[in-house]
Amino acid sequence: MKILGLDSSGLAASVAIVEDDKLLAEYTTDYKKTHSQTLLPMLEELRRMIELDLDSLDAIAISSGPGSFTGLRIGSATAKGLGFALNKPLVEVPTLEGLAWNLWGAGCLVCPLMDARRNQVYTAAYEFEARGEVCEMKAVISQAPMDIGELIARLNGLGRTVTFLGDGVPVYLPAVRQELRVEYRLAPAGLNRQRAASIASLGGVYFRQGRSVDAGAHRPEYLRMSQAEQDEKQKEACRA
């Protein structure tokens, strides 16, 4: 089974191909260029380097959100376009689950932090439970936009060691250092950002479970309105 993974939900853009339990190739950048400039050229370079026939794909796994509104739309449009052109199903992988999958098998809570601005994060907390040769990932705190203070209070209440990762870590690390009362760790550089390899790997798990959609049915999961939509809603309330 061959899965193409795409992730443009945050600052990093990432493309990967996973075949069964083998990572064939991954291309990830975290630089100043926009995802609209990088995602398709990265896919083309990856395809060329491993002589990939896109028709040989079984499915396309897309990081479905939450995340950057613009980044999610670019990734969604790219995945839908490929799905339509190749007649391949899409597998929607929640961004936070994909991030947590970077630390598959961790013996502590895994807490992705994505900066949602205004002292908020997109976050969740996951644990891994051994099931023979594999681990099953379960949500201890369901994904949601949340004030960083609320998250820290909930983690303190759980009383368990936690590992943080994601682009929200450098933003909110001062608050974590000041207010968190449980032991914590920070994921290393190779694991602390979105990776399409994890999206493709977890997408393969979900695809085997029958969790795929037609390209036309895919919609990003924003979790909240964009700032422009919030501003417009506030203006309408003031006019009412």
Side-chain angles (χ1 to χ4, degrees):
M1 182 175 63
K2 193 178 294 182
I3 305 290
L4 166 65
L6 301 172
D7 195 323
S8 58
S9 60
L11 298 176
S14 189
V15 180
I17 299 289
V18 169
E19 184 172 14
D20 298 325
D21 294 321
K22 179 181 179 182
L23 174 62
L24 297 182
E26 183 178 26
Y27 192 160
T28 300
T29 62
D30 188 350
Y31 196 59
K32 293 178 277 189
K33 292 183 179 180
T34 65
H35 297 331
S36 60
Q37 294 175 290
T38 58
L39 204 60
L40 281 174
M42 288 163 59
L43 173 58
E44 175 56 26
E45 178 68 10
L46 182 149
R47 186 202 63 76
R48 185 182 65 81
M49 288 295 293
I50 63 172
E51 300 177 345
L52 173 68
D53 178 3
L54 292 176
D55 284 322
S56 69
L57 296 172
D58 291 284
I60 300 162
I62 176 67
S63 178
S64 60
S68 157
F69 284 81
T70 300
L72 289 175
R73 286 170 181 149
I74 291 169
S76 174
T78 302
K80 286 166 74 78
L82 290 168
F84 280 126
L86 301 169
N87 193 28
K88 302 295 181 181
L90 270 55
V91 182
E92 299 169 322
V93 179
T95 304
L96 297 167
E97 292 183 14
L99 264 169
W101 202 251
N102 289 1
L103 301 180
W104 183 92
C108 58
L109 290 180
V110 177
C111 184
L113 298 178
M114 297 180 67
D115 185 15
R117 310 287 178 87
R118 300 190 177 187
N119 213 46
Q120 286 204 331
V121 289
Y122 296 119
T123 190
Y126 301 93
E127 64 181 359
F128 292 89
E129 293 185 359
R131 294 284 187 270
E133 295 181 348
V134 300
C135 287
E136 181 179 336
M137 184 170 68
K138 293 186 175 182
V140 177
I141 299 175
S142 299
Q143 67 171 18
M146 192 180 304
D147 182 88
I148 187 63
E150 178 186 350
L151 172 64
I152 290 173
R154 294 184 66 174
L155 291 173
N156 283 337
L158 291 172
R160 297 172 59 182
T161 301
V162 58
T163 297
F164 294 104
L165 72 166
D167 59 35
V169 172
V171 179
Y172 296 105
L173 188 55
V176 168
R177 285 173 170 161
Q178 183 174 351
E179 301 174 29
L180 193 66
R181 301 290 177 258
V182 298
E183 184 179 351
Y184 71 91
R185 302 162 185 156
L186 306 179
L191 301 171
N192 68 3
R193 292 294 188 272
Q194 288 90 330
R195 292 187 59 185
S198 291
I199 296 298
S201 175
L202 186 52
V205 173
Y206 291 162
F207 185 60
R208 286 189 290 269
Q209 294 173 354
R211 296 169 58 179
S212 63
V213 298
D214 293 334
H218 168 63
R219 298 289 184 276
E221 187 174 12
Y222 298 114
L223 289 190
R224 72 178 192 184
M225 294 183 292
S226 68
Q227 189 59 53
E229 290 170 329
Q230 292 180 52
D231 292 343
E232 182 60 30
K233 186 176 181 180
Q234 186 173 10
K235 289 178 183 177
E236 290 176 358
C238 291
R239 289 194 294 265

